[in-house]
Amino acid sequence: MQLLMLSAYRSVYPFEESQLDHQVMSALAQHFDSVHMVVRSRDRTRRSWSGGRVGVTYLPLALPPVSTLLFLMSCFLLSVSLIRRNKVDVVSGSDLAGSLVGVALKMIFRKPLVAQLQNEFFEPHPSMGSGLKRAFLRWLAGRVCRRADAIRCVSRSLMDNARAHGVPAEKLFTIGTRA
């Protein structure tokens, strides 16, 4: 089985900053024949990287305020190509923006969607904008959780938080992180 992971929040390969990302991707790669990630490029260049069963496509990062919107559109178009060319079996979003693209891909290609639950899903940090924007993000998170076939929580406390927000326990799991 092949996994396509979508991430708008940062570039993670080849492990530029976070060993936790390395642990998670290594753990996921053990469950799939291959894992392909689509992430933002910090240096505004499109390039690819691969190592073992993990491949990464870096998409250029545009300047705010359109950066996320452009990434989502580029990510969607690239994902369509990857799904058709590589026979992707499962789509995963590793943040809210990536999960939104995953919802669209799930609806079009009828692929299972695994969303990754992080703090911004139900408790967006005040730095993420006004109270209205954070309320909108919580609303989007609820829609993503309803559409997702499974939800990977980055900690047990987030799993408990998701249950408290009405996410069914049978959708929730942790992998590759200490809980």
Side-chain angles (χ1 to χ4, degrees), residues 34-153:
S34 69
V35 176
H36 192 94
M37 294 184 68
V38 178
V39 298
R40 288 184 182 190
S41 170
R42 292 178 190 220
D43 60 8
R44 296 197 180 118
T45 59
R46 182 176 173 147
R47 65 189 191 284
S48 296
W49 178 91
S50 66
R53 292 192 266 182
V54 177
V56 181
T57 300
Y58 295 89
L59 294 176
L61 178 62
L63 297 174
V66 296
S67 61
T68 300
L69 181 60
L70 288 176
F71 173 81
L72 292 175
M73 292 181 346
S74 298
C75 184
F76 176 79
L77 294 173
L78 176 62
S79 297
V80 167
S81 173
L82 289 169
I83 287 171
R84 288 183 174 152
R85 188 177 50 213
N86 297 317
K87 309 282 191 276
V88 169
D89 300 295
V90 179
V91 175
S92 178
S94 65
D95 56 15
L96 186 53
S99 294
L100 288 171
V101 173
V103 167
L105 295 169
K106 174 186 174 155
M107 294 169 61
I108 294 168
F109 292 101
R110 308 257 189 254
K111 301 290 181 186
L113 171 63
V114 178
Q116 178 175 298
L117 186 61
Q118 299 182 39
N119 284 336
E120 85 268 11
F121 265 61
F122 294 114
E123 296 176 16
H125 191 271
S127 67
M128 296 182 82
S130 69
L132 185 59
K133 180 180 179 184
R134 291 193 316 270
F136 177 69
L137 291 173
R138 278 191 296 275
W139 178 83
L140 276 179
R143 299 309 171 271
V144 165
C145 288
R146 281 197 247 320
R147 296 261 186 199
D149 297 287
I151 301 166
R152 187 180 81 79
C153 301

Side-chain angles (χ1 to χ4, degrees), residues 1 26-33 53 175:
M1 285 192 20
S26 296
L28 285 172
Q30 292 177 15
H31 298 277
F32 292 91
D33 297 326
R53 292 192 266 182
I175 187 171

